[in-house]
Amino acid sequence: MQSSGHRFRDVEHHPLLADNDSYDSSSSEADMAERVWFIRDGCGMVCAIMTWLLVVYADFVVTFVMLLPSKDFWYSVINGVLFNCLAVLALSSHLRTMLTDPGAVPKGNATKEYMDNLQLKPGEVIYKCPKCCSIKPERAHHCSICKRCIRKMDHHCPWVNNCVGEKNQRFFVLFTMYIALISAHALVLCGFQFFSCVRGQWTECSDFSPPVTVILMIFLCLEGFLFLTFTAVMFGTQIHSICNDETEIERLKSEKPTWERRLRWEGMKSVFGGQPSLLWINPFAGFRIRRLLLRGKKGGPEFSV
């Protein structure tokens, strides 16, 4: 299809929006900026709730089974503060990942008026997503769960009930890092606790009965090992992707880069923002408390508030 001196391609034949279906790009961008992003996916919401429950369970076992009964006051205080701080950072990173727009392309912007405003060069090819009727920027992919095209989409993660993309990858990396740290910390504490209980013949190592203590700690060890393995691998994969400026989808599809790659530190700075600092590991950086007004829109996969 020829339009305004440039070519327009899509994956399948799909008409543009009619000229009388007005689309205001500026108002749409401003509208998206005021949204709290939340994907209404049943599987994702169950996985997100399970993530929180597992972290709360680990915190319960560490605090009430291992640390509070300990006779070493400073051992309990230092490890309790450290573990709970890491847990808060992990859950905060999870929330930021889940409730942050990953880089969704505005729906229905494939109009003649909008394309004319792009000031494309003659013969330049642009692509339209036939599923959400939006112009796909370079490196954007359509997510069938979010029902949106996502800029620099890495993958859709059910554990955070969201896509990992251009705008929330930093929080996802922090989430995997903090979960790996609290998992490792819990495993170390379990090792010390087992040693202490065996040495004391299970008499004063816990306020719970020995069978209950053993069951709780075995489940915590299994949880810690599984989460440590999964999140450590995911953390390494994400750092590798960032340093090579290549998303997981692009790697799996073996897409040849048509963009100028930002390698190593340039890629890290583009994701985490600015020069290396403590803000890189702070999930609260850039957080703004805004008034949330539910608009009551229906039919979309995300809440608009």
Side-chain angles (χ1 to χ4, degrees):
M1 180 183 293
Q2 299 289 335
S3 176
S4 302
H6 60 270
R7 290 177 290 168
F8 189 88
R9 293 182 180 177
D10 55 8
V11 179
E12 62 189 52
H13 294 293
H14 193 286
L16 288 171
L17 293 178
D19 290 338
N20 56 356
D21 294 336
S22 60
Y23 176 82
D24 187 346
S25 60
S26 60
S27 62
S28 176
E29 294 292 343
D31 182 62
M32 289 179 65
E34 296 179 355
R35 291 181 178 181
V36 168
W37 183 270
F38 183 78
I39 302 301
R40 293 179 289 185
D41 174 60
C43 177
M45 289 188 286
V46 170
C47 289
I49 293 172
M50 285 180 58
T51 301
W52 276 67
L53 291 178
L54 288 171
V55 173
V56 171
Y57 169 78
D59 189 71
F60 169 80
V61 176
V62 167
T63 302
F64 293 98
V65 178
M66 292 190 283
L67 296 182
L68 288 183
S70 175
K71 296 180 180 180
D72 191 332
F73 175 77
W74 288 111
Y75 171 83
S76 299
V77 170
I78 294 174
N79 282 286
V81 170
L82 178 60
F83 188 89
N84 281 277
C85 286
L86 290 175
V88 169
L89 290 171
L91 294 179
S92 300
S93 301
H94 183 272
L95 273 180
R96 293 300 301 271
T97 308
M98 182 171 62
L99 301 180
T100 299
D101 177 357
V105 179
K107 283 184 178 179
N109 65 352
T111 62
K112 183 177 182 301
E113 177 186 357
Y114 183 69
M115 288 188 294
D116 290 339
N117 292 333
L118 294 178
Q119 298 179 348
L120 299 170
K121 299 177 181 179
E124 186 174 351
V125 178
I126 57 176
Y127 295 89
K128 184 192 71 173
C129 176
K131 297 178 181 178
C132 58
C133 199
S134 61
I135 295 176
K136 293 181 68 172
E138 188 176 39
R139 307 184 70 184
H141 293 85
H142 186 87
C143 176
S144 59
I145 299 177
C146 296
K147 296 181 173 61
R148 299 290 288 273
C149 284
I150 308 296
R151 294 183 178 90
K152 289 185 67 176
M153 176 181 169
D154 188 84
H155 68 286
H156 185 94
C157 179
W159 295 104
V160 298
N161 189 33
N162 201 1
C163 276
V164 177
E166 185 177 64
K167 295 183 179 180
N168 68 345
Q169 187 176 23
R170 167 176 170 257
F171 302 122
F172 181 75
V173 173
L174 293 181
F175 167 67
T176 58
M177 181 183 75
Y178 287 124
I179 289 294
L181 288 175
I182 64 173
S183 299
H185 191 191
L187 288 174
V188 171
L189 291 177
C190 280
F192 279 116
Q193 188 70 11
F194 272 119
F195 178 77
S196 175
C197 289
V198 171
R199 187 178 58 180
Q201 298 182 347
W202 299 90
T203 55
E204 299 179 357
C205 68
S206 174
D207 294 336
F208 295 84
S209 63
V212 173
T213 301
V214 171
I215 292 173
L216 291 174
M217 292 177 63
I218 287 177
F219 274 112
L220 179 60
C221 287
L222 291 175
E223 176 191 342
F225 177 76
L226 292 175
F227 268 67
L228 175 61
T229 303
F230 175 76
T231 54
V233 171
M234 185 60 70
F235 175 78
T237 302
Q238 288 293 303
I239 295 298
H240 180 268
S241 296
I242 293 172
C243 291
N244 288 288
D245 196 13
E246 182 182 47
T247 66
E248 187 65 17
I249 291 179
E250 292 164 350
R251 186 186 67 82
L252 292 175
K253 290 184 176 181
S254 299
E255 296 182 2
K256 295 182 179 180
T258 58
W259 61 91
E260 184 179 353
R261 283 188 165 182
R262 300 175 179 176
L263 300 179
R264 297 180 178 84
W265 279 113
E266 291 301 319
M268 295 289 289
K269 288 190 287 186
S270 68
V271 171
F272 289 90
Q275 296 296 324
S277 68
L278 291 178
L279 294 177
W280 278 23
I281 59 174
N282 179 13
F284 302 103
F287 180 70
R288 299 282 190 281
I289 299 179
R290 298 174 300 182
R291 185 178 59 171
L292 305 180
L293 299 174
L294 186 62
R295 294 183 180 179
K297 285 187 179 181
K298 297 180 180 181
E302 76 280 349
F303 286 130
S304 291
V305 300

